[in-house]
Amino acid sequence: MIRSGRAFILCFMFLGLCGCTQSKSADASDASGAATKPAALTNSAPVPSENLPPDSSPPPHIDAAKAMQYVRQVVSFGPRYLGSPGHKKTEEFLRAHLRGDDLQEDAFSAATPAGNLPMVNFIAKFPGSENGIVVLAGHYDTLYGRNDFVGANDAASDTGLLLAIADYLRAQKKRQGYSIWLVWLDGEEAIKQWSDADSVYGAKHLATKWQKDGTAKNIKALLLADMIGDADLDIDRDQNSTPWLEDVVQQAATRLGYQSHFFQRLNAVEDDHLPFARAGVPVADLIDFTYGYNNVFWHSSQDTIDKLSPQSLQIVGDVMLETARLLPAHK
Ligand SMILES: [Zn+2]
């Protein structure tokens, strides 16, 4: 992702180092930068305990070493912006790993400041016992035109994590709960400069499509993962996400003992979740937007694999799956 309330503060502090100066988002953290815990965070509406657990299966546990291996492979393709050889390799990598699954390719072309560009979203569908869909999504493109940027965290981390989640779901026979659709979105990054028009192309296309064909109504929640590989993991609570869904995420994190990595900070993030929110889908963006001291690794050539940890992939992957598992009980 490219813009948030926090980004505005960073740009202000490091004018000249960062090109993003037009954020309209409000930053809810205090001026000192210390973590705040606003009163709103304590007003939780979690799943009633008598409704838990919704099934008797063990808590989710993805293969973190495998997830990390996927991330490493994706990074090895080099820069993966639209039209680059690395982008093509990533598409082929996803096709190869999802070959045996119910895979849909949502190919389209979008008008951008660089002309019409072909893009493709990948959707892998894993059925559940309940009527309804939970979408787990991320993006697989990197900063447009930047050949010095391999995007280990932004966003090979979520590209690889979703593949490890696919492995986990594939191994579950007759899974209880809602169907889970894994989505690798294309064209998240701006072509020229981040704006509503120049960003999240894949998400805009898919959200419109799902709104038109009625799919959006059947989606119980969309959980977005972005920049989730940082070894120093602190997922922000996002004010542009759906509050009750963030409460369920927090509940899932607490059930797994990972609550210290979640929601110690408030932020307001513009990311791939927003087009789906506008289509009426409950959304939660799981993003750690403090990547290195003062977020210095973000959109920098230092966004490399050595900053990442398999444990962070484990935490976010398991919490996403646990959230999906709790959702049928959230009536
Ligand atoms: Zn980005």
Side-chain angles (χ1 to χ4, degrees):
M1 65 73 55
I2 204 159
R3 192 163 73 177
S4 82
R6 189 161 294 273
F8 181 72
I9 299 296
L10 288 164
C11 291
F12 184 72
M13 290 167 66
F14 294 101
L15 217 58
L17 290 182
C18 171
C20 51
T21 56
Q22 295 188 348
S23 175
K24 286 172 272 182
S25 310
D27 194 302
S29 60
D30 66 20
S32 71
T36 53
K37 193 144 178 101
L41 292 192
T42 61
N43 296 333
S44 267
V47 178
S49 55
E50 65 270 22
N51 290 359
L52 298 175
D55 61 53
S56 56
S57 56
H61 196 71
I62 62 151
D63 184 337
K66 197 76 194 291
M68 195 68 185
Q69 191 186 320
Y70 288 138
V71 175
R72 200 167 271 119
Q73 284 172 291
V74 172
V75 169
S76 77
F77 301 149
R80 302 174 299 285
Y81 56 85
L82 292 164
S84 67
H87 189 280
K88 193 101 231 137
K89 281 182 194 163
T90 311
E91 287 181 33
E92 282 155 15
F93 187 70
L94 291 174
R95 274 183 201 114
H97 282 277
L98 302 167
R99 194 183 302 124
D101 300 321
D102 181 1
L103 179 66
Q104 192 189 336
E105 293 194 22
D106 172 37
F108 61 102
S109 93
T112 80
N116 273 334
L117 296 179
M119 306 185 194
V120 54
N121 299 316
F122 291 85
I123 304 152
K125 302 178 179 179
F126 296 87
S129 60
E130 301 243 0
N131 182 26
I133 302 157
V134 175
V135 176
L136 310 182
H139 75 94
Y140 71 94
D141 62 309
T142 54
L143 281 175
Y144 189 71
R146 278 274 297 271
N147 285 310
D148 65 332
F149 180 81
V150 296
N153 199 25
D154 183 13
S157 66
D158 60 67
T159 309
L161 173 60
L162 289 173
L163 282 171
I165 292 177
D167 291 343
Y168 175 83
L169 294 172
R170 202 176 295 122
Q172 308 263 297
K173 300 290 171 226
K174 295 206 174 137
R175 200 178 43 79
Q176 297 289 301
Y178 294 130
S179 294
I180 295 184
W181 291 7
L182 305 181
V183 177
W184 290 260
L185 293 163
D186 203 356
E188 188 265 357
E189 301 286 0
I191 302 302
K192 206 167 176 192
Q193 184 165 21
W194 187 276
S195 68
D196 285 348
D198 186 12
S199 64
V200 299
Y201 292 95
K204 282 188 288 202
H205 175 81
L206 191 57
T208 302
K209 179 174 160 170
W210 280 350
Q211 196 167 24
K212 279 187 187 153
D213 70 11
T215 301
K217 278 197 223 75
N218 209 23
I219 300 176
K220 305 295 181 181
L222 178 139
L223 304 176
L224 180 68
D226 197 2
M227 300 177 67
I228 44 72
D230 187 358
D232 178 17
L233 185 70
D234 282 300
I235 301 292
D236 298 331
R237 182 159 172 136
D238 169 39
Q239 291 180 302
N240 293 338
S241 292
T242 308
W244 71 257
L245 183 56
E246 300 239 279
D247 290 339
V248 179
V249 170
Q250 185 156 34
Q251 189 173 22
T254 304
R255 279 163 60 87
L256 300 179
Y258 294 142
Q259 66 271 27
S260 64
H261 297 281
F262 283 79
F263 301 162
Q264 303 303 310
R265 282 189 316 253
L266 260 187
N267 211 334
V269 182
E270 295 180 19
D271 207 346
D272 277 324
H273 58 321
L274 296 187
F276 297 97
R278 287 186 206 113
V281 174
V283 297
D285 189 8
L286 304 184
I287 181 165
D288 174 354
F289 205 55
T290 304
Y291 183 34
Y293 181 73
N294 273 332
N295 210 20
V296 289
F297 302 143
W298 173 60
H299 285 186
S300 121
S301 57
Q302 295 182 78
D303 182 359
T304 46
I305 197 89
D306 52 293
K307 318 291 190 309
L308 272 47
S309 148
Q311 171 74 1
S312 297
L313 302 175
Q314 179 95 62
I315 290 167
V316 175
D318 290 356
V319 168
M320 289 176 99
L321 287 165
E322 182 67 356
T323 303
R325 203 164 76 109
L326 295 181
L327 280 169
H330 191 276
K331 304 285 188 201

